[in-house]
Amino acid sequence: MSILVDTAQRPAGLREDEPVRLVLAGCGAVTNHYYAEALSRLQGRGHVAVAGIFDPEPKQAALVQARLPSAKIAASFDGLLAMDADVAIIASPPGYHADQSTKALEAGMHVLCEKPMATSVSEADRILAAAAANNLHVATGLVRRQFPATRSIKAMLEAGMIGRLRSVSCFEGGPFQWPVASVSYFSFAESGGGVLQDIGTHCLDLLTWWFGEPDQIHYADDAMGGVEANCLVQLRFGGFVATVRLSRDWARPNLYCLEGERGSISWTVNETQTVEVTLNGSRTTGFVSFNNADGRSPDFIDAFCDQISGVVDAVRNGVSPSVPASAGRNVLDLVEGCYARRKLMDMPWLGPGELLHVGACAGTRQ
């Protein structure tokens, strides 16, 4: 099931020069690191007005309000929805995404939902159905699609710059440092998975955005009753295999390498502008972006600004968001496909007795 919502209209009474009103649910790490600054920039330019914020932890909400002083703190999520707004940004923990997105849509607000869109495909379909029923837009927070670097890779592949692809390898992760506020982050029921559902969502989305849907999937991880900290994904796309390794404890360069018959493309994870290209043995480093109107080079926060602006443009002009909810739904489907094929990773450092115990635990989730 995939539903595209393309017919939403500009909110009644919204003037062309009037900022789009937003509310924000969730004041955790992703908001503190990215959304608060992006909203502050957009509000300073007169593009948006942040009407309200909500987090069940009052201290977290107060920290964000200090950066967005015009926003009122709602006492509850229902109170947030009662504020006069055009768009709701859902940046709560993943377990809340489906319910909060659906409620916001039923309250008449367009939605930008941080990734993962939900913890299951069935929950994502519930969001899409609510969007269709209420003639509203839903966008997914797959922010890497906004990078000039990843867009340039897509363009180079479409132009056949490095010829027919032979292989793709991707590594992401390292010792875990994300400032989580709760151990629920490591609960399958609350988060929908481990490292695959977390950073793997971004990785798998880029691969399918560049190459389409895979023909075959191989998946293995180290989950032994909990959520995975390490996983191996192998996706076959026609004549080549993309090998993905994700980790929460392995320190390695975070790098994507695309090898073609005429050259290669290398991209460092979360580098917004730079791509290294080697053609016929000649290496060059390309800066693929342009300066902003204020003369600055785009940074990571600008990608969040662009993501929010895409939703604002959809609200104003009735166009589809640059990253529609169908993209979030499709990558969830791929994540579920991986989990359905799950095998235990090879762990040769475990002894025979330990392996027997691992085998007894491997089929359970916590």
Side-chain angles (χ1 to χ4, degrees), residues 2 6 9 16 20 27 59 79 89 104 133 149 184 203 217 236-237 245-246 250 256 265 290 307-308 320 338 353 359:
S2 181
D6 294 323
Q9 301 298 315
E16 193 65 40
V20 169
C27 298
K59 290 182 179 179
I89 297 177
S184 65
C203 179
I217 302 170
R236 178 170 289 280
F237 297 93
R245 295 181 183 274
L246 307 171
W250 189 11
Y256 288 27
I265 300 171
F290 49 86
Q307 180 171 266
I308 297 166
S320 296
C338 288

Side-chain angles (χ1 to χ4, degrees), residues 284-297:
T284 181
T285 300
F287 289 88
V288 295
S289 67
F290 49 86
N291 287 342
N292 292 317
D294 58 6
R296 293 184 304 104
S297 294

Side-chain angles (χ1 to χ4, degrees), residues 262-278:
R262 292 202 300 269
S264 65
I265 300 171
S266 295
W267 175 65
T268 298
V269 172
N270 287 336
E271 170 57 57
T272 59
Q273 301 182 68
T274 307
V275 175
E276 188 174 272
V277 181
T278 300

Side-chain angles (χ1 to χ4, degrees), residues 207-209 211-216 236-238 330-331 333-334:
L207 294 180
T208 53
W209 184 45
F211 308 129
E213 294 300 313
D215 303 316
Q216 295 178 14
R236 178 170 289 280
F237 297 93
N330 291 343
V331 75
D333 191 39
L334 183 51

Side-chain angles (χ1 to χ4, degrees), residues 130-208:
N134 292 281
N135 193 31
L136 293 165
H137 290 301
V138 181
T140 310
L142 296 167
V143 72
R144 292 184 185 177
R145 290 199 189 197
Q146 307 294 338
F147 297 171
T150 58
R151 292 182 175 187
S152 73
I153 291 172
K154 183 174 176 63
M156 286 186 280
L157 292 170
E158 291 174 348
M161 180 180 289
I162 61 172
R164 184 174 59 86
L165 280 168
R166 292 175 173 168
S167 67
V168 174
S169 63
C170 309
F171 179 86
E172 287 202 48
F176 187 79
Q177 296 179 333
W178 188 249
V180 297
S182 168
V183 294
S184 65
Y185 188 89
F186 303 103
S187 161
F188 189 86
E190 293 287 335
S191 64
V195 69
L196 178 69
Q197 179 74 292
D198 185 13
I199 59 177
T201 297
H202 283 305
C203 179
L204 298 184
D205 176 63
L206 285 181
L207 294 180
T208 53

